Amino acid sequence: MRDQLTRRRTAEPGPYGFEDLSELMSRMTGDEKHSEAATSTVDALWVLYDRVLSVGPDLREDRDRFYLSKGHGPQAYYAVLCAKGFFGPELFDMFGAFGSPLGYHPDRTLVPGVEISSGSLGHGLPLAVGTALGLRARGLTDSRVWVLLGDGEFDEGSNHEAVVYAARAALDRLNVVVVDNHSATQGWPGGLESRFACEGWATRRVDGRDHDALEEAFTAPHPGRPGLVVADVGAAADR
């Protein structure tokens, strides 16, 4: 399987829309699905890939980059990548099996379209900061970097360091989406966005199930500073 499937493989896009994602996700079974975590991210992921990101299976150098820091429960991520033509749905029946490229955490060396291997909380945002710096240094100023985090990841100190540095470096091509399912053990006065706002980030909080509201927030300009969108999905689930 590893010889047959590489990150550079292309697949014909299937006739999939948002309404097909739940069926695609249902094909992935196992004891470590973290299905609640996947469900909490599906709307934000779909809006990003369907309406916002400039990226496709060809992985051209000037593409936007998307990092799934919330690597627990990647079923929604896999379903969206499949729907956008990165690979075929037949892989879902092998989810989590020995030798399958689709593991319980995404692996950038095995899954087409996956930019970082993730699952260990607190790494996605620091990696995105480094990528934004690298793209700027190379003159790829049209490429944006997006990273999706869970609210529970802010128990990790590495994220707070990245929040501070990104604002000081004026990384305005950096965009963070935090899926807030109210599972974090540490609350923030004024909401999680207040932690970013006090460092100079542009921040918004929207209904994480409202696709039009998500698109508007994702496409709002924030010149000279990084941007945060908190996608509030309500009741606590898997972080």
Side-chain angles (χ1 to χ4, degrees):
M1 176 58 68
R2 295 191 184 193
D3 293 335
Q4 298 172 8
L5 180 67
T6 71
R7 297 184 72 248
R8 295 187 178 277
R9 176 189 175 191
T10 59
E12 291 297 324
Y16 300 119
F18 177 76
E19 65 279 1
D20 299 306
L21 296 182
S22 60
E23 181 179 353
L24 291 172
M25 291 167 63
S26 72
R27 293 178 62 169
M28 292 175 267
T29 60
D31 294 333
E32 300 182 34
K33 292 191 304 179
H34 296 280
S35 57
E36 294 87 356
T39 302
S40 72
T41 64
V42 65
D43 295 274
L45 285 168
W46 179 256
V47 172
L48 281 171
Y49 275 89
D50 191 55
R51 306 186 187 185
V52 179
L53 292 174
S54 177
V55 64
D58 58 344
L59 296 178
R60 68 180 191 275
E61 191 64 14
D62 63 346
R63 69 190 182 279
D64 290 338
R65 271 74 170 174
F66 172 77
Y67 292 175
L68 181 69
S69 184
K70 183 185 170 79
H72 291 74
Q75 287 89 335
Y77 187 30
Y78 293 158
V80 170
L81 288 175
C82 172
K84 293 303 177 181
F86 286 87
F87 54 83
E90 67 277 359
L91 293 180
F92 294 150
D93 299 327
M94 302 171 60
F95 173 71
F98 180 77
S100 171
L102 301 185
Y104 294 127
H105 295 166
D107 187 327
R108 68 172 299 276
T109 68
L110 299 179
V111 186
V114 170
E115 298 276 7
I116 62 169
S117 302
S118 59
S120 298
L121 301 179
H123 295 303
L125 182 52
L127 286 169
V129 167
T131 300
L133 284 169
L135 291 172
R136 185 165 69 182
R138 295 171 58 199
L140 296 172
T141 55
D142 289 335
S143 298
R144 297 166 297 176
V145 182
W146 291 81
V147 56
L148 189 152
L149 299 90
D151 58 334
E153 288 194 74
F154 284 88
D155 293 349
E156 307 292 338
S158 54
N159 276 326
H160 297 278
E161 295 174 1
V163 168
V164 173
Y165 181 81
R168 302 300 186 274
L171 297 178
D172 56 6
R173 307 305 287 170
L174 175 64
N175 301 270
V176 171
V177 184
V178 176
V179 174
D180 187 358
N181 54 30
H182 302 192
S183 68
T185 58
Q186 299 181 21
W188 296 95
L192 182 61
E193 59 270 34
S194 66
R195 177 69 187 93
F196 288 75
C198 73
E199 301 295 348
W201 287 59
T203 65
R204 290 188 174 208
R205 175 178 287 265
V206 298
D207 181 345
R209 302 301 188 189
D210 185 328
H211 290 196
D212 290 335
L214 285 167
E215 180 185 14
E216 181 181 359
F218 291 163
T219 57
H222 46 87
R225 54 183 178 161
L228 165 77
V229 175
V230 178
D232 194 327
V233 295
D238 190 320
R239 67 176 180 174

